[in-house]
Amino acid sequence: MTAEAGLFSLVLALVLALVQSTVPLVGARRGDPRLMAVGQSTAIGQLLFVTLSFAILIALFVRSDFSVELVWAHSHTAQPLIYRVTSTWGNHEGSMVLWIFILTLFGALVALFGSRLPATLQATVLAVQGWIATVFLLFVLATSNPFARLSPAPAQGRDLNPILQDLGLAIHPPLLYAGYVGFSIAFAFAVAALIEGRVDAAWARWVRPWTLLAWSFLTVGIAIGSYWAYYELGWGGWWFWDPVENASFMPWLSGTALIHSAIVMEKRSALKIWTVLLAILTFSLSLLGTFLVRSGVLTSVHAFATDPSRGVFILLILIFSIGGALGLFAFRAGSLQRGGLFAPISREGALVLNNLLLTTACGVVLTGTLYPLALEAVTGDKISVGEPFFNATFVPLMIPLLLAVPFGPFLAWKRGDLLGATQRLYAALGVTFLSILAVYAIHHDGPVLAPLAFGLGVWLIAGALADIAERAGFARAGLAKGFARLRGMPRSAWGAALGHAGVGLTVIGIVGATAWDAERIVAMRPGDTVDLAGYHLTYQGTAPQTGPNYMANVSGFTIERDGRDLGIITSERRDYIASRQQTTEAGIRTFLFTQLYVSVGDRQQAGGRAVRVYHKPLVTLIWLGSLVMFLGGALSLSDRRLRIGAPTRARRMAAAQPAE
């Protein structure tokens, strides 16, 4: 009966979503406060019912109720408890319930914390959120019922995909979905603004925190997914330009452009039409990623294996959401007032350049991802677009963008002084130049352009530090006053600097892991030694080990460098009993920012085992930089000036004067 309660909760959530999508909108058009208030109560009620349904689904997995088809197909009694919980969203149906749970959570947050929004705008935003929730609840109930029963109930389950039996599944999908779904709020604000026919600086102020929140979650979600693939798949790579990886990267690029565009709109009332369009396109790219993953059109280690009928339904959602929003945009765009003018050399101009390069890069990734699918659909020919294409097209767009980033904060609004900005960046330029020379001296026999790319990362970090130093006024006011100003600096300024510095760290990590990495593939017997990048690894042998639901062969290697013992690194080959699948668990040892990576394969006919050994210089900076970007976003969100509904000092004083 529990499974039926979960299904009934989804049905009740659908009813509330239908009410939420219509009644508040009618109230906003009539100016009826009671009808508009319905949106708040239905959004909260919808969250409660979806939470109940999601909790029931988790309970079914925890107690291994194999009378439910989804539990039988993706779980096993021998799985550790944590993986029985994460199995809930380690499949198509359960992950869609997670998606809807996060969607309704964001809708409830707008209802609870958006009370200072204009009543009609809040009601319309909640109505748009209700539309989105309605179509996804219909999708789950019509094509992806997570509570379908089996009769008779099997005695045992089929087990979760071994690759997914990892803590990464507990962290990566929820954070990634929070990013995907979080952009639905920006989308809802954009559609609501178009319905009302009013887009102004206040709108940008309201939408920016939600966009920044979604972007922060998506950033850390992509980073954790990258690291998960890096150590779990045993390939030794951190990014493969896989179509499903691209599906998460495209809304990140567009969302980054949206954040910067919203700043221009808030500060200067410019780029109104462009900002609204970006809000629509960013969530549209999130929906496109959903279609690619769940439609069956892609063959990927990241994709869900689903039947085409689900893909057709999601395609209809795409047409309904994207087509409807773009149609409304086309209808309203001509009536929107244009913003203020500004010179090309200005902070607005720098942010426009940022937007142009980011959206062009996003278009390149979109083309490389969809072109093979379109070609196969039209001609039947199959081609693959991989790393060479993206390196040749994406990287040249990123270079001018990253070069320009440090200049933006030093340019004035409306009309800036490029020479003056350059002079304030002299110290950053000097540090960058010295770092390039140092890298050339250390890696003179490596790729010629690698030191320049390394210097690009240093340039971003040095530029962020220069921005903080300029705001503190160390050069003018001295150290004591400078540090005093640092304590009073807005958190959003610190957040922006951390975001830019995080990009620099990631760039340095990418350069180190791709330009100066080393690899050896050898067949090794116990006692054999392999040398790589100054490290000496000695194979100690392989011993059997029993896990909770698998049998493993654990291979150990001792590590030495310059005669010093640096410990042991182990790699496993696991055979999962229920699913009869085999996985490789790579052995990784981290030395500051560099990693040694060992992956052990099967026995060779000539004896010994196939062993892959990688040396990955600076590779951890890739994910450390992403974490710094996330912290920058979180710090900016903690700035009171970015909180929705936080009245400014001037407004509080104005409100107090009549009372006096």
Side-chain angles (χ1 to χ4, degrees):
M1 189 63 186
T2 308
E4 286 69 28
L7 181 61
F8 187 59
S9 295
L10 287 181
V11 174
L12 292 177
L14 173 60
V15 173
L16 289 178
L18 288 168
V19 174
Q20 181 183 329
S21 63
T22 52
V23 175
L25 195 60
V26 173
R29 302 285 71 76
R30 295 180 178 178
D32 189 331
R34 293 174 300 175
L35 293 181
M36 287 190 286
V38 170
Q40 300 173 30
S41 56
T42 51
I44 296 170
Q46 192 183 154
L47 172 64
L48 293 176
F49 281 120
V50 174
T51 301
L52 176 61
S53 179
F54 190 42
I56 288 173
L57 188 60
I58 293 175
L60 293 171
F61 273 93
V62 167
R63 73 181 191 212
S64 298
D65 187 346
F66 298 127
S67 67
V68 177
E69 183 178 5
L70 190 68
V71 180
W72 164 76
H74 300 283
S75 188
H76 193 278
T77 54
Q79 284 178 205
L81 177 61
I82 180 64
Y83 300 144
R84 293 208 299 275
V85 173
T86 58
S87 293
T88 308
W89 54 82
N91 55 81
H92 164 72
E93 293 84 355
S95 67
M96 287 308 305
V97 178
L98 174 63
W99 174 286
I100 294 171
F101 166 73
I102 296 174
L103 180 68
T104 56
L105 175 61
F106 272 94
L109 289 176
V110 173
L112 292 171
F113 299 106
S115 58
R116 290 186 181 271
L117 292 170
T120 56
L121 178 63
Q122 184 191 32
T124 309
V125 168
L126 289 174
V128 177
Q129 278 290 104
W131 298 344
I132 300 170
T134 297
V135 294
F136 276 99
L137 283 164
L138 282 172
F139 171 65
V140 168
L141 292 171
T143 71
S144 310
N145 179 11
F147 299 102
R149 290 283 194 180
L150 284 176
S151 182
Q156 190 53 270
R158 298 173 60 183
D159 204 7
L160 180 66
N161 186 335
I163 293 177
L164 302 181
Q165 294 188 39
D166 183 85
L167 287 177
L169 182 64
I171 306 171
H172 166 58
L175 290 175
L176 193 69
Y177 288 2
Y180 274 158
V181 177
F183 285 126
S184 69
I185 301 296
F187 175 86
F189 268 95
V191 173
L194 290 172
I195 291 175
E196 293 196 341
R198 188 183 68 182
V199 181
D200 51 21
W203 177 88
R205 186 178 183 85
W206 292 322
V207 80
R208 192 153 70 96
W210 296 104
T211 304
L212 188 57
L213 180 64
W215 178 89
S216 300
F217 278 127
L218 187 59
T219 299
V220 73
I222 292 173
I224 291 174
S226 168
Y227 190 65
W228 179 16
Y230 169 75
Y231 72 77
E232 183 63 28
L233 298 181
W235 296 346
W238 57 273
W239 191 262
F240 304 99
W241 291 108
D242 179 279
V244 180
E245 290 177 331
N246 295 346
S248 64
F249 191 42
M250 288 185 290
W252 186 89
L253 291 169
S254 180
T256 305
L258 174 59
I259 291 172
H260 292 87
S261 180
I263 293 173
V264 177
M265 184 173 170
E266 179 186 345
K267 300 293 185 182
R268 297 282 302 140
S269 292
L271 305 184
K272 294 180 180 180
I273 297 174
W274 174 245
T275 305
V276 171
L277 180 60
L278 272 180
I280 294 172
L281 292 180
T282 300
F283 183 59
S284 299
L285 290 170
S286 296
L287 293 179
L288 178 64
T290 304
F291 170 72
L292 293 176
V293 172
R294 300 170 193 279
S295 62
V297 301
L298 290 180
T299 301
S300 165
V301 295
H302 302 85
F304 291 99
T306 58
D307 61 84
S309 62
R310 292 172 177 168
V312 172
F313 201 111
I314 297 177
L315 187 60
L316 292 175
I317 294 176
L318 280 172
I319 295 172
F320 169 77
S321 302
I322 301 175
L326 291 179
L328 180 61
F329 175 81
F331 178 73
R332 286 286 198 183
S335 63
L336 298 179
Q337 293 183 354
R338 300 185 182 275
L341 300 176
F342 53 87
I345 303 299
S346 62
R347 189 172 298 188
E348 298 98 321
L351 293 172
V352 167
L353 177 64
N354 161 291
N355 269 230
L356 289 175
L357 292 173
L358 281 172
T359 51
T360 304
C362 183
V364 166
V365 177
L366 179 66
T367 301
T369 303
L370 296 185
Y371 177 71
L373 303 178
L375 182 66
E376 182 179 358
V378 174
T379 67
D381 297 333
K382 292 186 177 182
I383 65 169
S384 62
V385 175
E387 185 175 354
F389 168 82
F390 292 105
N391 288 346
T393 55
F394 181 83
V395 174
L397 291 169
M398 288 296 101
I399 293 173
L401 171 63
L402 300 181
L403 285 173
V405 164
F407 286 96
F410 292 95
L411 293 173
W413 293 105
K414 195 172 182 180
R415 183 179 297 277
D417 180 4
L418 184 59
L419 178 59
T422 305
Q423 290 173 341
R424 291 194 289 273
L425 284 167
Y426 276 164
L429 287 167
V431 170
T432 302
F433 181 70
L434 290 176
S435 70
I436 293 173
L437 291 180
V439 172
Y440 263 122
I442 296 171
H443 295 284
H444 58 273
D445 56 347
V448 175
L449 296 179
L452 295 176
F454 184 96
L456 190 58
V458 174
W459 166 243
L460 291 169
I461 298 171
L465 293 175
D467 178 31
I468 294 297
E470 177 70 17
R471 289 173 180 270
F474 284 115
R476 301 182 301 275
L479 291 178
K481 289 186 177 180
F483 282 112
R485 290 179 179 179
L486 284 181
R487 289 193 294 272
M489 192 178 299
R491 294 177 186 174
S492 58
W494 285 103
L498 280 177
H500 294 164
V503 176
L505 287 173
T506 298
V507 169
I508 293 173
I510 291 171
V511 173
T514 54
W516 303 309
D517 65 330
E519 175 186 355
R520 290 285 304 276
I521 304 175
V522 293
M524 300 184 70
R525 296 183 176 86
D528 288 351
T529 298
V530 59
D531 298 332
L532 185 68
Y535 293 91
H536 308 282
L537 283 78
T538 303
Y539 179 32
Q540 299 298 317
T542 299
Q545 190 177 82
T546 302
N549 59 338
Y550 61 83
M551 302 296 294
N553 288 311
V554 183
S555 302
F557 301 80
T558 58
I559 310 171
E560 294 182 359
R561 184 182 177 90
D562 299 328
R564 293 183 295 114
D565 183 6
L566 299 180
I568 297 175
I569 187 170
T570 60
S571 176
E572 299 181 26
R573 293 283 288 179
R574 293 181 180 177
D575 290 290
Y576 284 81
I577 300 169
S579 62
R580 298 182 180 179
Q581 296 186 53
Q582 191 176 74
T583 64
T584 298
E585 301 295 318
I588 299 175
R589 283 294 302 273
T590 302
F591 303 100
L592 194 56
F593 302 125
T594 296
Q595 288 186 337
L596 276 181
Y597 184 109
V598 178
S599 178
V600 178
D602 295 322
R603 287 184 176 276
Q604 302 294 296
Q605 292 182 352
R609 289 183 176 272
V611 178
R612 286 177 175 261
V613 184
Y614 301 90
H615 178 245
K616 298 286 184 179
L618 305 178
V619 69
T620 59
L621 290 179
I622 295 173
W623 304 294
L624 179 61
S626 300
L627 180 60
V628 171
M629 283 185 258
F630 170 76
L631 293 176
L635 191 60
S636 294
L637 284 168
S638 70
D639 191 325
R640 193 173 188 276
R641 298 179 306 167
L642 280 182
R643 297 179 197 166
I644 289 181
T648 63
R649 185 171 179 268
R651 287 178 183 172
R652 291 199 305 271
M653 292 175 64
Q657 285 176 357
E660 295 174 357

